[in-house]
């Protein structure tokens, strides 16, 4: 989910659950708007019916102009009232920074800061406005807890709180004025949120913390593509890429690509294990970001986008389209879109995903649909998987 600015007072809209009381207010406001417009219309028609018809002169024109002006003002006022009603019905409302027990640091962060020299001639802005996720309104208490700390002191060990906010759509999180926790050495023993403290324990993790180097070096099924084969499809023009999903959450794909002189940024969250810490320890780049967030990259910058999950068609089609369009945005023309063992479930879901891919007009360099048993799915039967390498076309 992208981010919008939070403002004090008459600020940018925020989500808030509608109540029975607010619904009654909405109905009352709508009734008052309609009544006002009917009164204006009646005033206009009454004056024309109860006056002797005389040739038009200056007074008649002035009277009509006044009525027209009144109606225009009422229409403008009605539109503004209806817009406010619509915002309330949709659940939008400003973040109330005057609520009790809200952290002072959060209030300070959300303040507007005027530019010292006034309007900037290049950007046109006059002030700096803080930016946080619009869904933070729904988690204001947690956000206030996140922003409660000693200024210039050590930050609380609250990575799990930050991740909880992110998974609730509250991203990007506000900046803080405290020092992040440092560790004396790289190692799992320093990670506060993990029961396992060694690699043997992690490898037995049922959630799949594994280091499968062979997957991209030696195929075990027809759905497994080798790194060298995919790089060859890019005519040796693959330099930077983005890895999306949980299939490479230990950074194995990025580490193998680094051996081929390809820089990969890996999207990850610390769910069940310290993936971000571990990926960074391997010398590759972790991006702590949920898939609901707009990718923080400029358009057409990546030569390769590798997807192992996130496109599972069990979610709503519109949600998949938002993710796909954003993925398409960051992939350059001629770049490769690698779908790596995407779980389809059955043929109908496979057709849904296929139609979605065809909407973008990609050239199919390789397309394989197969069935395999996957213990992570838990169905106890063979499931349909799709693997493909697609090339982004030129669009006019």
């Amino acid at each position: 989910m992208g981010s919008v600015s939070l403002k004090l007072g008459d600020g940018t809209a925020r989500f808030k659950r509608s109540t029975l009381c607010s619904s009654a207010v909405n109905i009352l406001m709508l009734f008052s708007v309609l009544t006002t417009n009917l009164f204006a219309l009646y005033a206009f028609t009454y004056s024309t019916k109860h006056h002797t018809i005389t040739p038009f002169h200056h007074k008649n024109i002035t009277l009509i102009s006044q009525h027209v002006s009144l109606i225009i003002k009422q229409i403008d006022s009605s539109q503004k009232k209806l817009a406010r009603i619509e915002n309330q019905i949709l659940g939008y409302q400003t973040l109330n920074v005057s609520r009790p027990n809200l952290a002072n640091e959060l209030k300070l962060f959300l303040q507007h800061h005027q530019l010292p020299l006034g309007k900037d001639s290049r950007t046109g802005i006059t002030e700096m406005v803080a930016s946080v996720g619009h869904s933070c309104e729904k988690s204001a208490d947690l956000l206030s807890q996140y922003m409660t700390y000693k200024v210039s002191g050590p930050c609380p060990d609250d990575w799990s709180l930050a991740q909880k906010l992110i998974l609730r759509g509250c991203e990007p999180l506000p900046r803080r004025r405290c020092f992040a926790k440092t560790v004396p050495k790289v190692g799992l023993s320093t990670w506060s949120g993990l029961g396992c403290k060694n690699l043997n324990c992690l490898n037995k993790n049922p959630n799949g913390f594994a280091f499968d180097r062979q997957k991209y070096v030696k195929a075990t099924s027809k759905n497994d593509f080798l790194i060298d084969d995919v790089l060859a499809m890019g005519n040796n023009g693959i330099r930077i890429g983005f890895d999306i999903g949980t299939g490479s959450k230990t950074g194995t794909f990025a580490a193998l690509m680094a051996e081929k002189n390809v820089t990969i940024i890996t999207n990850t969250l610390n769910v069940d294990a310290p993936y971000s810490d571990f990926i960074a320890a391997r010398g590759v780049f972790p991006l702590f970001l949920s898939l609901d967030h707009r990718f923080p990259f400029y358009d057409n910058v990546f030569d390769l986008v590798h997807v192992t999950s996130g496109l599972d068609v069990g979610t709503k089609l519109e949600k998949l389209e938002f993710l796909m369009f954003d993925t398409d945005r960051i992939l350059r023309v001629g770049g490769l879109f690698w779908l790596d063992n995407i779980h389809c479930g059955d043929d109908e879901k496979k057709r849904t995903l296929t139609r979605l891919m065809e909407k973008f007009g990609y050239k199919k360099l390789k397309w394989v649909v197969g069935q395999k048993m996957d213990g992570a799915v838990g169905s106890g039967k063979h499931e349909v998987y799709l693997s493909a390498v697609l090339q982004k076309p030129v669009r006019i």
Side-chain angles (χ1 to χ4, degrees):
M1 307 186 168
S3 65
V4 293
S5 300
L6 289 178
K7 300 181 180 179
L8 303 178
D10 294 332
T12 304
R14 285 292 173 268
F15 281 116
K16 186 173 182 179
R17 187 180 300 276
S18 298
T19 63
L20 184 60
C21 179
S22 63
S23 299
V25 173
N26 294 337
I27 295 174
L28 181 60
M29 290 179 63
L30 181 60
F31 176 77
S32 65
V33 170
L34 295 175
T35 303
T36 303
N37 281 276
L38 289 174
F39 175 77
L41 180 61
Y42 173 77
F44 178 78
T45 56
Y46 179 85
S47 61
T48 58
K49 287 181 179 180
H50 294 76
H51 287 80
T52 304
I53 299 177
T54 58
F56 274 84
H57 51 76
H58 179 71
K59 290 184 177 180
N60 298 95
I61 296 176
T62 301
L63 182 61
I64 293 175
S65 298
Q66 289 175 349
H67 284 305
V68 172
S69 177
L70 176 62
I71 292 175
I72 291 176
K73 290 181 179 179
Q74 291 297 329
I75 292 175
D76 181 65
S77 176
S78 300
Q79 289 176 338
K80 292 179 180 179
K81 290 180 180 178
L82 287 173
R84 289 196 296 267
I85 292 173
E86 182 183 22
N87 287 340
Q88 291 179 357
I89 293 174
L90 291 175
Y92 285 98
Q93 195 170 5
T94 54
L95 177 63
N96 181 15
V97 296
S98 64
R99 70 177 66 190
N101 302 322
L102 200 65
N104 289 329
E105 280 292 284
L106 179 58
K107 297 178 182 179
L108 186 62
F109 177 80
L110 295 177
Q111 286 183 2
H112 297 190
H113 298 278
Q114 299 292 330
L115 297 181
L117 301 179
K119 184 177 180 179
D120 184 80
S121 59
R122 293 175 299 175
T123 62
I125 63 174
T126 60
E127 60 183 4
M128 300 298 292
V129 182
S131 178
V132 297
H134 70 267
S135 292
C136 291
E137 164 64 18
K138 298 186 296 184
S139 304
D141 292 338
L142 290 178
L143 184 63
S144 181
Q145 180 182 344
Y146 175 76
M147 293 298 290
T148 301
Y149 55 87
K150 182 181 179 180
V151 177
S152 299
C155 292
D157 187 9
D158 57 358
W159 68 267
S160 58
L161 175 61
Q163 182 164 278
K164 184 182 295 184
L165 285 165
I166 289 174
L167 292 175
R168 292 186 178 190
C170 183
E171 59 178 338
L173 290 171
R175 290 171 173 169
R176 301 198 292 189
R177 297 186 296 166
C178 58
F179 294 101
K181 177 184 176 182
T182 58
V183 294
K185 61 180 180 179
V186 177
L188 299 176
S189 60
T190 60
W191 199 71
S192 61
L194 183 67
C196 292
K197 299 297 182 181
N198 57 70
L199 295 182
N200 290 331
C201 174
L202 286 176
N203 275 322
K204 298 177 182 178
N205 190 327
N207 293 294
F209 195 105
F211 312 97
D212 189 5
R213 292 181 58 90
Q214 297 300 316
K215 176 181 177 181
Y216 301 106
V217 179
K218 182 179 180 181
T220 58
S221 72
K222 65 178 183 179
N223 285 73
D224 296 334
F225 300 163
L226 305 184
I227 284 180
D228 289 336
D229 294 341
V230 175
L231 292 179
M233 297 180 196
N235 297 320
N236 298 319
I238 307 299
R239 303 157 300 161
I240 55 175
F242 185 39
D243 188 17
I244 303 174
T246 60
S248 300
K249 53 192 176 183
T250 59
T252 296
F253 177 78
L256 290 173
M257 292 293 277
E259 297 175 1
K260 306 293 182 180
N261 295 319
V262 178
T263 300
I264 297 293
I265 297 175
T266 302
N267 161 247
T268 185
L269 286 172
N270 290 339
V271 179
D272 300 319
Y275 297 118
S276 296
D277 306 64
F278 189 79
I279 290 173
R282 301 183 73 176
V284 290
F285 192 100
L287 182 65
F288 194 67
L289 191 76
S290 75
L291 292 183
D292 291 321
H293 194 289
R294 184 180 187 269
F295 296 135
F297 307 115
Y298 193 63
D299 301 353
N300 306 297
V301 295
F302 287 107
D303 305 310
L304 170 72
V305 174
H306 175 248
V307 180
T308 56
S309 65
L311 291 181
D312 299 338
V313 292
T315 55
K316 294 182 65 175
L317 180 60
E318 293 81 2
K319 190 176 183 65
L320 291 179
E321 287 181 340
F322 277 115
L323 176 60
M324 265 301 303
F325 273 98
D326 201 29
T327 302
D328 177 81
R329 176 184 63 83
I330 64 176
L331 182 64
R332 68 166 174 84
V333 172
L336 302 184
F337 184 39
W338 182 354
L339 300 174
D340 187 358
N341 284 277
I342 302 299
H343 178 238
C344 297
D346 52 39
D347 289 334
E348 177 59 32
K349 292 182 179 180
K350 185 260 295 183
R351 286 190 290 269
T352 300
L353 183 58
T354 300
R355 287 192 294 267
L356 176 61
M357 295 295 108
E358 291 175 346
K359 178 182 294 188
F360 293 85
Y362 286 174
K363 180 180 180 181
K364 295 181 180 179
L365 302 182
K366 194 169 184 179
W367 184 278
V368 176
V369 177
Q371 292 187 345
K372 66 176 184 177
M373 185 80 71
D374 191 344
V377 176
S379 61
K381 62 179 181 179
H382 285 85
E383 302 282 345
V384 178
Y385 284 81
L386 168 65
S387 292
V389 177
L390 311 175
Q391 189 173 42
K392 182 176 177 178
V394 177
R395 302 191 186 102
I396 300 176

